[in-house]
Amino acid sequence: QVQLVESGGGSVQAGGSLRLSCAASGYTYTNSRLCMAWFRQAPGKEREGVAGIYTGGGSAYYADSMKGRLTISQDSAKNTLYLQMNSLKPEDTAMYYCAADRTPCSPSGPPGEYDYWGQGTQVTVFS
């Protein structure tokens, strides 16, 4: 059973940066291959993927709405996924979730394809 715990959210002024972390347990990077992704959901809106990665390597996925402002990365020694967010905008305000899916999987897959979810971390961007 994969367990995910996000941290790093908060309130930031527009133009600022935040780095989200997702600590994973219940598997190890060396023994498992997963798709791991960040999703977000604003009030009244559907959950959408913003970035994803395959732990076995390959290109990362970034949503067009945030492309150029995000960097997804992983630290296999710490079993941790990161999302660096720069040049934040008020419309980026949402709950951000970390998710994992066992292979076969797609880093750009929709929320319904992901089996494991964290509890979310709130990001609020004020102007």
Side-chain angles (χ1 to χ4, degrees):
Q1 183 78 4
V2 178
Q3 295 180 323
L4 305 171
V5 179
E6 303 98 332
S7 61
S11 294
V12 62
Q13 193 169 18
S17 300
L18 283 174
R19 188 177 81 154
L20 306 183
S21 300
C22 174
S25 60
Y27 78 101
T28 58
Y29 272 88
T30 56
N31 296 328
S32 304
R33 291 293 180 258
L34 302 173
C35 286
M36 297 197 72
W38 290 95
F39 292 81
R40 69 180 182 181
Q41 189 167 19
K45 295 188 176 181
E46 293 186 355
R47 190 168 298 189
E48 62 172 346
V50 296
I53 195 170
Y54 179 59
T55 61
S59 299
Y61 158 77
Y62 295 103
D64 289 341
S65 59
M66 298 192 77
K67 191 172 291 184
R69 301 189 290 125
L70 297 181
T71 303
I72 187 171
S73 61
Q74 57 183 343
D75 185 332
S76 58
K78 296 181 179 180
N79 266 18
T80 300
L81 182 74
Y82 300 100
L83 184 68
Q84 177 67 43
M85 305 189 294
N86 301 322
S87 302
L88 285 164
K89 305 174 182 180
E91 52 264 42
D92 295 322
T93 295
M95 185 72 79
Y96 284 71
Y97 297 91
C98 173
D101 188 22
R102 297 189 182 276
T103 55
C105 60
S106 170
S108 61
E113 292 185 359
Y114 280 77
D115 296 324
Y116 306 101
W117 292 84
Q119 82 288 351
T121 186
Q122 177 68 38
V123 171
T124 302
V125 185
F126 57 92
S127 57

